[in-house]
Amino acid sequence: MQENKNSNAQNQQELSEILRIRREKLAELQQNGKDPFKITKYDVSNHSSDLKDNFEAYEGKTVSIAGRMMSKRVMGKASFCNVQDLKGNIQSYVARDSIGEDEYKAFKKMDIGDIVGITGTVFKTKTGEISIHAEAVTLLSKSLQVLPEKFHGLTNTDIRYRQRYTDLIMNPEVKDTFIKRSKIISAIRQYLNGQGFMEVETPMLVANAGGAAARPFETHFNALDEDLKLRISLELYLKRLIVGGMERVYEIGRVFRNEGLDTRHNPEFTLMELYQAYTDYHGMMDLTENLYRYVAKEVLGTTKIAYNGIEMDLGKPFERITMLDAVKKYSGVDFNEIHTLEEARAVAKEHNIEFEERHKKGDILNLFFEEYAEEHLVQPTFVMDHPIEISPLTKKKPENPEYTERFEFFMNGWEMANAYSELNDPIDQRERFKAQEELLAQGDDEANTTDEDFMNALELGMPPTGGIGFGIDRMVMIMTDSAAIRDVLLFPTMKTLDK
């Protein structure tokens, strides 16, 4: 134990010395009128992969690249360094006779982590590595910190999430994940815009945070001396736009839910919701299938996705099953044969399903589904016809009003999307809000409250409408084979370190 303490102390002393030397190098540059921080521009003609992928077109031509120096080997009058940019990395051959004696001395003083610009000709070394023969090396920014030791990289997940900038530098696959994330969101927009949807923006700060079962964050607006909430959903404002005559709308934006952290939950996350007039939840199923296939082909080039070694095929028709049938299939309990709350409670006790006093028959059905069915829904599956108790904004099924025209889309045992035939009966909606407020009074922090302005909109008249909400982060997780939601959020929520 004492040896470890001594070793750590020695490492800290060595690090402090390195940092001191870097600052001394900067001071010397500044004293000599070569302050890199005064450089405001550098003309970049190409990126590393451009040159590597099209070597024949660039061989012998003069190019300029810029990026972070990740390694350097000084060998007397000539040296090699490796520069990492947006698209990868490339080697540069730096010779005293090519850049000049003073410039070569300056190059030798540069550190790993410095941002440099290199102008030179493209060639291939004797070992076949595509490189740049430097004609000029410019220090564009001085790194005053030390990158993690290159052979072990940055593996501490806590540091990776807190210092995403370092993570992006040291782990190229992380950058690839976020490039794919950007492409996924772009492909979603392309598809929806092509289907006649219009992208809109709605408020994040709201007086009434409704549209989902979640506990909101609360804040105070000093200018109006009013308490406000951060939105938990995009739903109620988008439906107002349907009332206003915008027949196809969508929004991709952050929502905020005051809940726990785990591999699939972050208190702020990206949600996409869309609403289409004159269709129902079957229309939303068709849209979901087509959207997922389109995005997979555009971003991955295939409809077959491998997640954690399990292949999921988006090219096949997605399975469709009711919640009742899913529970019967995986638990053996047929809720069609359960007619009263007492019977539902009794069967829950038999199967060790914990429930609360406020839970009704439909709530208990949903608890069975979560316990027995969800984990089996690996291939793309629509679970349809949820009980009314857990669907306060959804149309009832005309032939069976205990259930609603709602589905959840599952892959890999995860809920990926939630969709309805939207409730457009203002009288029914007011009764549902009333029931939600009773749950709130009983201690359910996730229950909705009546939104009077939304009720006014419904009373003006909303056409039959299909709506859906997609969890963008989970979609990115599935399509990039990422283990946790923090791996697809550039800056996930982290507990503040004690100072």
Side-chain angles (χ1 to χ4, degrees):
M1 184 66 74
Q2 187 62 41
E3 289 181 2
N4 288 337
K5 287 183 178 180
N6 292 338
S7 177
N8 288 336
Q10 184 178 352
N11 289 338
Q12 286 298 319
Q13 186 175 358
E14 290 175 357
L15 178 61
S16 297
E17 179 65 12
I18 292 171
L19 297 181
R20 182 187 64 78
I21 292 172
R22 290 196 174 204
R23 279 161 174 75
E24 288 179 352
K25 287 181 179 180
L26 174 62
E28 182 182 349
L29 287 167
Q30 292 170 332
Q31 289 170 6
N32 293 332
K34 297 181 179 181
D35 187 347
F37 297 127
K38 289 187 176 180
I39 296 176
T40 60
K41 182 182 178 183
Y42 185 83
D43 292 327
V44 176
S45 67
N46 298 93
H47 286 92
S48 55
S49 65
D50 300 334
L51 307 178
K52 288 183 174 181
D53 295 342
N54 303 283
F55 172 69
E56 290 78 11
Y58 288 105
E59 184 178 12
K61 293 186 177 179
T62 300
V63 298
S64 294
I65 62 132
R68 189 178 300 274
M69 190 186 298
M70 299 300 291
S71 66
K72 186 175 73 167
R73 286 183 293 130
V74 177
M75 301 177 297
K77 299 178 181 179
S79 302
F80 286 95
C81 68
N82 190 280
V83 176
Q84 178 175 291
D85 61 16
L86 173 67
K87 296 183 179 180
N89 61 79
I90 192 166
Q91 178 177 268
S92 179
Y93 173 70
V94 184
R96 185 190 66 180
D97 293 344
S98 297
I99 68 171
E101 187 169 348
D102 290 341
E103 286 74 13
Y104 190 64
K105 287 180 180 178
F107 168 78
K108 289 198 292 182
K109 290 184 178 180
M110 293 180 190
D111 292 307
I112 304 303
D114 287 351
I115 307 293
V116 299
I118 294 179
T119 297
T121 54
V122 180
F123 78 108
K124 190 177 288 187
T125 66
K126 292 179 181 179
T127 59
E129 183 167 357
I130 295 169
S131 307
I132 297 173
H133 189 141
E135 297 169 358
V137 180
T138 306
L139 179 62
L140 302 174
S141 181
K142 184 67 187 168
S143 175
L144 301 180
Q145 272 289 357
V146 178
L147 293 174
E149 198 275 316
K150 68 175 183 176
F151 293 108
H152 295 99
L154 180 62
T155 56
N156 182 299
T157 53
D158 188 74
I159 295 177
R160 285 183 53 221
Y161 298 143
R162 291 184 188 280
Q163 298 182 16
R164 181 67 81 187
Y165 43 89
T166 309
D167 190 25
L168 290 167
I169 293 168
M170 299 306 298
N171 297 314
E173 70 279 3
V174 172
K175 188 184 293 182
D176 292 341
T177 293
F178 288 104
I179 290 172
K180 281 183 180 174
R181 180 188 174 105
S182 178
K183 290 180 178 179
I184 288 168
I185 294 173
S186 177
I188 291 171
R189 287 191 166 102
Q190 289 169 15
Y191 178 79
L192 293 178
N193 294 344
Q195 296 296 311
F197 283 85
M198 181 171 68
E199 185 172 10
V200 297
E201 294 177 311
T202 61
M204 291 189 183
L205 282 171
V206 295
N208 188 321
R215 184 179 177 184
F217 287 94
E218 298 181 1
T219 187
H220 186 77
F221 184 22
N222 292 334
L224 297 181
D225 192 23
E226 286 186 354
D227 290 331
L228 294 174
K229 299 178 178 67
L230 288 170
R231 67 185 180 187
I232 60 174
S233 166
L234 313 174
E235 179 167 350
L236 299 185
Y237 280 98
L238 292 177
K239 284 183 178 177
R240 287 170 168 89
L241 299 180
I242 296 292
V243 170
M246 295 183 175
E247 294 182 1
R248 298 187 182 203
V249 293
Y250 75 96
E251 181 174 7
I252 299 173
R254 284 289 217 218
V255 296
F256 309 85
R257 299 182 182 180
N258 200 346
E259 58 191 16
L261 293 161
D262 61 30
T263 56
R264 282 183 282 161
H265 293 90
N266 194 72
E268 59 173 308
F269 61 97
T270 303
L271 185 64
M272 190 274 284
E273 290 196 32
L274 66 86
Y275 293 86
Q276 179 180 342
Y278 311 114
T279 190
D280 62 4
Y281 74 143
H282 292 290
M284 292 295 100
M285 289 185 218
D286 294 339
L287 184 147
T288 302
E289 283 200 42
N290 293 332
L291 174 63
Y292 260 78
R293 287 187 189 123
Y294 178 86
V295 172
K297 286 179 181 177
E298 285 291 309
V299 178
L300 306 176
T302 178
T303 57
K304 291 183 178 179
I305 297 172
Y307 185 84
N308 198 24
I310 299 172
E311 185 175 274
M312 290 165 275
D313 192 351
L314 297 170
K316 296 179 180 178
F318 295 3
E319 183 182 356
R320 303 186 183 197
I321 188 172
T322 66
M323 182 178 282
L324 283 167
D325 288 343
V327 168
K328 182 179 179 180
K329 179 178 180 179
Y330 295 110
S331 75
V333 176
D334 186 356
F335 268 76
N336 282 315
E337 302 300 321
I338 296 172
H339 304 291
T340 66
L341 177 57
E342 289 70 25
E343 290 173 349
R345 287 175 171 174
V347 75
K349 290 176 181 177
E350 289 174 14
H351 289 77
N352 297 315
I353 299 291
E354 295 184 5
F355 59 88
E356 298 177 24
E357 189 65 26
R358 62 183 174 84
H359 283 151
K360 296 182 172 61
K361 175 188 165 187
D363 297 297
I364 294 174
L365 169 63
N366 187 52
L367 292 173
F368 266 85
F369 172 75
E370 291 174 349
E371 179 66 25
Y372 285 99
E374 279 192 4
E375 64 181 306
H376 298 286
L377 305 176
V378 175
Q379 295 301 318
T381 304
F382 296 118
V383 177
M384 308 180 295
D385 303 349
H386 292 51
I388 193 169
E389 291 90 343
I390 61 169
S391 310
L393 297 164
T394 314
K395 274 194 173 183
K396 299 173 184 175
K397 290 184 70 65
E399 70 279 10
N400 191 353
E402 289 186 13
Y403 296 90
T404 61
E405 294 193 349
R406 174 185 174 188
F407 73 80
E408 290 175 300
F409 172 49
F410 282 85
M411 289 179 67
N412 192 49
W414 302 349
E415 178 200 337
M416 305 295 292
N418 186 23
Y420 313 149
S421 295
E422 301 296 334
L423 179 59
N424 62 342
D425 178 346
I427 297 171
D428 189 358
Q429 182 64 81
R430 188 171 290 279
E431 289 299 313
R432 307 271 195 102
F433 275 141
K434 183 179 178 182
Q436 285 285 300
E437 289 184 340
E438 289 173 359
L439 291 175
L440 188 65
Q442 294 171 23
D444 185 353
D445 292 336
E446 297 184 348
N448 286 194
T449 58
T450 304
D451 187 325
E452 289 296 346
D453 183 72
F454 175 66
M455 289 305 307
N456 185 61
L458 276 191
E459 288 171 3
L460 280 172
M462 185 174 85
T465 298
I468 189 165
F470 288 89
I472 296 295
D473 305 306
R474 291 186 188 180
M475 186 180 192
V476 176
M477 288 174 67
I478 286 282
M479 291 194 175
T480 59
D481 197 11
S482 297
I485 191 171
R486 290 181 174 187
D487 295 325
V488 300
L489 297 175
L490 279 168
F491 300 101
T493 302
M494 304 287 289
K495 184 177 176 61
T496 304
L497 293 173
D498 294 333
K499 295 181 179 180

